[in-house]
Amino acid sequence: MLVLARKKGESIMIGDQIEIVVLGSEGDTIRVGIRAPKHVEVFRKEIYQNIQESNKEAVSNPISPLNLSKLMNKSK
């Protein structure tokens, strides 16, 4: 892990297109801004982990085309 110290208003670059800007701090909370291209997804870690878990569940419990058809007919 790379550890860097930055002050309010200073930045860290990740590659050529992603910039992390320190916006400020209050107590134990640090506020950061992230500038990244629209095609780069940026998530808080806990949200990212939830998405990954949901994806794993979806793959392990696939819906057959027959069941999908039944589900779609119920919603009508």
Side-chain angles (χ1 to χ4, degrees), residues 41 43-60:
E41 295 179 326
F43 299 103
R44 295 189 329 249
K45 186 174 181 177
E46 61 273 16
I47 300 298
Y48 178 80
Q49 290 171 330
N50 286 340
I51 292 168
Q52 295 301 309
E53 186 60 36
S54 295
N55 288 343
K56 287 178 188 174
E57 288 176 17
V59 169
S60 66

Side-chain angles (χ1 to χ4, degrees), residues 29-47:
T29 303
I30 306 296
R31 291 177 32 118
V32 297
I34 301 168
R35 289 190 187 109
K38 290 188 181 212
H39 69 274
V40 175
E41 295 179 326
V42 179
F43 299 103
R44 295 189 329 249
K45 186 174 181 177
E46 61 273 16
I47 300 298

Side-chain angles (χ1 to χ4, degrees), residues 12-31:
I12 297 167
M13 294 298 299
I14 300 174
D16 293 331
Q17 298 182 338
I18 301 172
E19 180 180 12
I20 310 296
V21 182
V22 177
L23 301 176
S25 64
E26 188 174 310
D28 289 340
T29 303
I30 306 296
R31 291 177 32 118

